[in-house]
Amino acid sequence: MRLKYVYYLLKKNYEDLENLQLINDPYKIGNSTNNRGKVLNWQTSRLAFLEIKKIPIFNDFCSMILEDPYFANEKDVFYIPHEIYQKLQNEYRHFMVQVDTIISFFESVGFSENQCGFDVKMPTTDDFDDFSKNVELFNKAINQCPFLCVENEQIKLKKTDIGSIWFEFFIIATGSSIILTNLAKIVDKCIKIMSHYKTLKHQEEIYKQAKIKTDQMQTIVDCNKQIMKALTDECIKELHEEIPDIEIKDDGNERIRFTLDSLVKLIDKGMEIYASVDATQEVKDLFPTSDDLILLPKQKKLLENKETE
């Protein structure tokens, strides 16, 4: 799990985690006093524990609470045996200390909430030269695209995720980010192009297996190239319609084509790009899902496997 997502989950659910109350609640039966535990604010806290359970280091503790028969109810206030209360009280305090420590550490190294931006996972490679070329291509694709050159807005590198090939970017903007919205639309077009590209490559593979004549195969390949060019032209036209307020100069369409072609190449190699975890839901909904992005390299792998059969 990415460090930023850990931080996001903890900050998002912190108040509901902290609001869980476990108190000692003595009661009398006749002349004798008995002890029991009382749980308050469980329903909101339960939802928070379900979220925090996704974090590996907290999975055991959250599962222990959520799977306990006394906590498997829809009540907000209920009672538990004193021995369970004592055990849980100590472990809950320890858990909250851990949560506080992790949040403090993240914020001490520059993590923060509510920065509009996007995250990019570069294609995996053990060749540093190839990695550098991928970064350079992505940088050029983003910086020269007219739809991403917006007045009073700027894309800035925030950080790289520790121990991974994720890059975090934020947008300097006075209000809601036009760049981020436009980027989502561009990535969506890249997914559309990629989907058609995979279909055409699959068709070419079928023809190769059928061992059709070389000249016929070349005709199919040339035809597919024309189809892809027409599809890219269509996507550029759609972007103009969806993003009408950006001034496009004479070479603008070729620069847009370069951006689409470059991002498609990188996505084909395994690049993933999403709105940052703390972006608004409206912006997140514009970006493709992880399934959209991850499925495409898997399709590529299937085709490569068929080529070697």
Side-chain angles (χ1 to χ4, degrees):
M1 178 178 287
R2 296 186 57 214
L3 293 179
K4 185 172 182 180
Y5 191 55
V6 171
Y7 173 75
Y8 170 74
L9 284 178
L10 293 177
K11 288 290 286 188
K12 176 187 174 185
N13 294 283
Y14 185 84
E15 186 175 334
D16 290 334
L17 293 172
E18 191 179 39
N19 283 342
L20 178 65
Q21 292 186 45
L22 302 169
I23 60 175
N24 187 37
D25 186 56
Y27 65 100
K28 284 192 173 184
I29 298 179
N31 293 324
S32 63
T33 300
N34 298 280
N35 289 312
R36 63 183 176 182
K38 187 176 183 180
V39 180
L40 296 91
N41 306 323
W42 169 238
Q43 286 308 306
T44 52
S45 296
R46 183 180 68 84
L47 297 176
F49 280 113
L50 284 169
E51 287 282 289
I52 301 304
K53 184 181 175 183
K54 299 173 185 176
I55 304 173
I57 62 170
F58 294 131
N59 180 270
D60 288 346
F61 175 73
C62 293
S63 296
M64 180 192 72
I65 295 179
L66 293 166
E67 294 171 11
D68 188 289
Y70 287 99
F71 287 80
N73 66 72
E74 297 181 357
K75 297 178 181 178
D76 204 39
V77 179
F78 57 93
Y79 300 96
I80 57 177
H82 186 65
E83 58 273 17
I84 293 179
Y85 157 75
Q86 286 182 310
K87 180 175 183 286
L88 191 56
Q89 175 77 324
N90 291 332
E91 296 199 20
Y92 171 70
R93 286 174 180 168
H94 179 65
F95 164 75
M96 288 306 300
V97 168
Q98 287 181 304
V99 170
D100 286 331
T101 302
I102 292 172
I103 289 175
S104 297
F105 169 74
F106 282 154
E107 293 181 346
S108 72
V109 295
F111 282 80
S112 61
E113 293 183 287
N114 302 322
Q115 273 199 321
C116 180
F118 60 96
D119 300 341
V120 177
K121 181 183 179 183
M122 298 306 296
T124 302
T125 176
D126 58 4
D127 186 328
F128 186 73
D129 185 56
D130 186 39
F131 177 77
S132 299
K133 288 177 181 177
N134 290 339
V135 173
E136 183 179 354
L137 183 61
F138 178 75
N139 181 57
K140 189 174 180 181
I142 294 298
N143 285 331
Q144 61 85 57
C145 181
F147 290 130
L148 301 177
C149 298
V150 178
E151 189 176 0
N152 298 322
E153 290 193 26
Q154 193 174 5
I155 299 173
K156 290 285 188 180
L157 176 65
K158 183 177 180 182
K159 65 165 68 71
T160 57
D161 219 7
I162 300 170
S164 76
I165 49 176
W166 282 92
F167 289 84
E168 296 178 22
F169 296 87
F170 69 97
I171 312 294
I172 297 176
T174 54
S176 59
S177 173
I178 297 172
I179 285 180
L180 196 58
T181 302
N182 292 356
L183 178 61
K185 293 176 180 178
I186 289 170
V187 173
D188 184 61
K189 300 304 176 191
C190 290
I191 299 300
K192 178 179 177 180
I193 293 169
M194 278 290 297
S195 179
H196 282 75
Y197 170 75
K198 296 301 180 187
T199 300
L200 294 177
K201 290 296 289 183
H202 180 59
Q203 290 173 349
E204 287 179 15
E205 180 57 29
I206 292 174
Y207 289 129
K208 284 180 183 178
Q209 291 178 355
K211 297 181 180 180
I212 66 172
K213 294 180 181 178
T214 303
D215 58 337
Q216 291 177 321
M217 188 68 222
Q218 188 58 49
T219 300
I220 292 169
V221 171
D222 292 340
C223 180
N224 285 346
K225 287 180 180 178
Q226 290 301 313
I227 291 173
M228 291 307 300
K229 183 180 183 302
L231 177 61
T232 304
D233 289 339
E234 179 186 331
C235 287
I236 292 172
K237 181 181 177 182
E238 290 174 355
L239 286 171
H240 278 289
E241 294 170 353
E242 295 171 16
I243 313 172
D245 299 328
I246 302 293
E247 182 181 354
I248 306 296
K249 296 181 181 179
D250 293 339
D251 63 341
N253 282 342
E254 287 309 307
R255 290 161 62 193
I256 297 167
R257 184 185 302 280
F258 175 82
T259 295
L260 291 173
D261 289 344
S262 299
L263 293 181
V264 165
K265 286 178 183 176
L266 290 169
I267 292 171
D268 188 35
K269 295 173 73 174
M271 185 184 78
E272 299 173 32
I273 180 168
Y274 311 103
S276 57
V277 293
D278 42 12
T280 64
Q281 190 59 48
E282 182 181 3
V283 171
K284 287 180 182 179
D285 290 342
L286 291 173
F287 276 81
T289 65
S290 58
D291 288 341
D292 293 329
L293 288 165
I294 293 172
L295 179 62
L296 295 172
K298 285 184 178 178
Q299 291 174 338
K300 176 187 176 184
K301 202 165 194 177
L302 288 173
L303 290 174
E304 290 173 345
N305 289 340
K306 287 186 178 182
E307 289 174 0
T308 59
E309 288 176 355

